[in-house]
Amino acid sequence: MEFLIVTGLSGAGKSRAMDALEDIGFYCADNIPPKLIPTFYELSRQAKGTLSHVAVVTDIRGGDMFSSLLETLDQMNSDGKDYKVLFLDANDYVLVNRFKETRRKHPLADNCLGSLDQAVRLERDVLRLVKERADYVIDTSLLSPAQLKKRISGLFLGDASDALMIHCISFGFKYGVPAEADLVFDVRCLPNPYYVEELKNLTGLDEPVRSYVMKWDQTKGFVRRFLDLIDYMIPLYCGEGKSQLVIAIGCTGGHHRSVTLAELLYNHLLQQNLRTSVNHRDIQKQ
């Protein structure tokens, strides 16, 4: 049985994540108090195959009951219960704006005399240790609903596996570094197709851009060393029992060089039969 505990900051996208999990066959239950999670786990296990993929959400809406989550996780570890934790995150600015746009009340607003900014900061502090325990962290600050669904599907679609899942992300430094990145590579040092008129409005998904980026000796030297480093590090992460590795490759705008090299890395990992996905975070931005 694959048992997933979903938590994270209010407004970070837990509901959308659960929708995506339901779409790929998970049985989902929302707002479960932490102390009931082991009982729910046992009931799901006793279903004997009927519930092979289960996800439960527990978060700050549980009030004082939520404070027992770390204790519950320790108990489940001691009892040999196999589970994973997915943590949804976003930056404070995005979270505040999402609450303002939807006119929803933050669960901790009353604790902060109605201050939304303070409520977001308080919740982040409360969840700090939980985030450190998470197997998967997804920052949704700059993800569209479709991109979040793709990330969820990449992580959990198909049979449960303890194998490392590697996410390749291209991004533009002008829009910020992905908060969930484990490894960040800056390829702004490579020749930029943006300054070639006929390539400016294309992306690294287009062959002319790929050919331009890859033809330079600087790129060839970078790629050789880059792939050697990744190939060396992956077994080390596997040996540590890491479930998710996010490799972010950035250029100025996230359209050309970073996209080309993220695609190259993605295909390199596929050739090694590794679990991997690719996401071009900023390719739609102008």
Side-chain angles (χ1 to χ4, degrees), residues 15-30 55 152:
S15 295
R16 291 191 182 276
M18 293 299 271
D19 289 343
L21 288 165
E22 283 189 342
D23 287 345
I24 60 174
F26 273 75
Y27 178 84
C28 298
D30 189 21
I152 294 290

Side-chain angles (χ1 to χ4, degrees), residues 226-239:
F226 172 57
L227 295 182
D228 282 348
L229 177 62
I230 296 300
D231 289 344
Y232 174 77
M233 295 182 73
I234 286 174
L236 302 181
Y237 281 113
C238 290

Side-chain angles (χ1 to χ4, degrees), residues 238-250:
C238 290
E240 289 295 315
K242 191 171 178 63
S243 301
Q244 173 183 245
L245 179 65
V246 179
I247 304 174
I249 304 172

Side-chain angles (χ1 to χ4, degrees), residues 64-125:
D64 292 341
M65 293 185 293
F66 182 71
S67 63
S68 64
L69 178 57
L70 292 177
E71 179 185 339
T72 296
L73 297 181
D74 290 337
Q75 176 190 334
M76 293 179 71
N77 290 336
S78 298
D79 295 343
K81 292 181 169 61
D82 187 23
Y83 68 90
K84 299 290 185 184
V85 177
L86 169 64
F87 190 97
L88 278 297
D89 198 359
N91 66 54
D92 290 3
Y93 176 80
V94 168
L95 293 173
V96 169
N97 278 347
R98 286 176 181 172
F99 273 97
K100 287 181 177 178
E101 289 170 359
T102 60
R103 299 185 179 180
R104 290 172 51 211
K105 182 180 178 181
H106 192 284
L108 296 181
D110 291 341
N111 300 67
C112 301
L113 302 178
S115 171
L116 184 53
D117 291 330
Q118 290 182 26
V120 169
R121 289 195 294 270
L122 175 59
E123 184 179 20
R124 187 177 298 282
D125 184 61

Side-chain angles (χ1 to χ4, degrees), residues 236-272:
L236 302 181
Y237 281 113
C238 290
E240 289 295 315
K242 191 171 178 63
S243 301
Q244 173 183 245
L245 179 65
V246 179
I247 304 174
I249 304 172
C251 61
T252 304
H255 281 190
H256 300 103
R257 295 163 291 181
S258 61
V259 174
T260 297
L261 292 168
E263 285 286 326
L264 182 146
L265 176 60
Y266 170 69
N267 286 298
H268 174 77
L269 297 173
L270 282 180
Q271 290 171 7
Q272 301 180 60

